Amino acid sequence: MYQLLQYIKFLLKSTNQHGVHSPFVYNLITKCFYDKTEYTAYKHILNYKNALLKNKTGIKVTDLGAGSQMMKQNERIISSMAKNAGSTNKRAKLLYRLVNYFNSKIILELGTSLGIATHAMSLANQETKITTIEGCSNISEFSKANFKRYHLNNIDVKTGDFNKVTSQLQTNNYDLVFFDGNHQKEATLSYFETFLQTINNDSVFIFDDIYWSKEMTQAWEIIKQHPKVSVTIDTFFWGFVFFRKEQVKEHFIIRI
């Protein structure tokens, strides 16, 4: 009910490129968000997802974050996970376009899951180095084997609690960080503060499910007001955060 009410509010407030006066945001919307090109990679994105949807293998799951709203049992079927918890085809395609558009070279993903989003980002640029972290060891091993099967050699899968794993990461500069592993307020804010130390002027943070709960929305509102944040874009399912010092601080609500 909370998400439904928030979505109605989103529809009433949101807009498209019209009325957006920031050239940076306007170009992002028109050249990336609304890009209708049928990229060849889209077939691979769909094939990867379809293979998961046909996979009836059972897997024991350990949720270290807020868990799934759709599936509460510890043993789950891969096909059900892909259907209920994996990135949609639309969002996977958007991630592909985003990595292409920003030419992101060093990416961090918190929450590998079945690797649908990871796979899409990997296809965008073979020179991109992706570090992806999964809390559940069984899911991590499954996705790692899947990446190998699809010859995705630019992905480094790490397993364990996000706090412990991220403290061991060597890089101090990420072009894109995709937060999709723990939908809790305090954890989200903690990760945000941690990775603020790794940004460059052109970095983008993407927060999944900013309307997952009242707490997640509160976290999103706090992030928007941070002094290092210059531009945010609320697309309902994702929240985009930019740190461009040359930009006037603005918040946009955009339909995709």
Side-chain angles (χ1 to χ4, degrees), residues 139-154:
I139 295 177
S140 180
E141 288 304 313
F142 173 86
S143 294
K144 190 183 297 185
N146 229 15
F147 296 151
K148 187 175 182 179
R149 187 176 303 117
Y150 284 86
H151 307 290
L152 304 175
N153 301 316
N154 57 344

Side-chain angles (χ1 to χ4, degrees), residues 64-240:
L64 299 183
S68 170
Q69 289 184 333
M70 299 295 291
M71 297 174 293
K72 299 301 181 183
Q73 65 273 28
N74 290 332
E75 181 151 347
R76 301 172 190 170
I77 305 300
I78 295 295
S79 58
S80 296
M81 292 174 63
K83 180 180 179 181
N84 296 313
S87 293
T88 64
N89 291 334
K90 180 180 179 181
R91 295 178 201 177
K93 290 177 181 179
L94 176 55
L95 271 177
Y96 171 86
R97 296 198 302 273
L98 285 163
V99 174
N100 251 335
Y101 183 81
F102 289 120
N103 193 27
S104 306
K105 292 291 173 55
I106 305 178
I107 296 175
L108 175 66
E109 178 186 38
L110 300 183
T112 315
S113 189
L114 299 178
I116 298 168
T118 328
H119 171 252
M121 292 189 290
S122 171
L123 292 178
N125 188 342
Q126 290 302 304
E127 295 181 7
T128 296
K129 300 299 181 185
I130 302 174
T131 300
T132 182
I133 307 172
E134 173 54 47
C136 174
S137 59
N138 291 334
I139 295 177
S140 180
E141 288 304 313
F142 173 86
S143 294
K144 190 183 297 185
N146 229 15
F147 296 151
K148 187 175 182 179
R149 187 176 303 117
Y150 284 86
H151 307 290
L152 304 175
N153 301 316
N154 57 344
I155 302 173
D156 179 17
V157 182
K158 296 187 180 298
T159 310
D161 179 86
F162 290 172
N163 292 321
K164 293 179 181 177
V165 177
T166 54
S167 67
Q168 299 167 3
L169 298 178
Q170 298 300 310
T171 186
N172 60 356
N173 198 317
Y174 288 107
D175 299 315
L176 187 154
V177 182
F178 185 35
F179 299 83
D180 184 25
N182 190 327
H183 298 84
Q184 299 179 86
K185 178 181 177 180
E186 295 307 321
T188 298
L189 292 174
S190 175
Y191 300 144
F192 170 71
E193 291 288 349
T194 296
F195 291 105
L196 271 180
Q197 316 307 315
T198 72
I199 62 172
N200 57 63
N201 194 60
D202 298 317
S203 295
V204 54
F205 284 4
I206 305 174
F207 290 89
D208 184 59
D209 283 332
I210 55 176
Y211 293 101
W212 171 276
S213 65
K214 289 181 180 179
E215 280 201 343
M216 270 301 292
T217 307
Q218 289 169 1
W220 170 243
E221 291 300 326
I222 292 170
I223 288 167
K224 285 167 59 178
Q225 301 309 318
H226 194 281
K228 286 190 177 181
V229 172
S230 59
V231 172
T232 67
I233 303 176
D234 175 348
T235 66
F236 189 76
F237 54 88
W238 285 344
F240 292 81

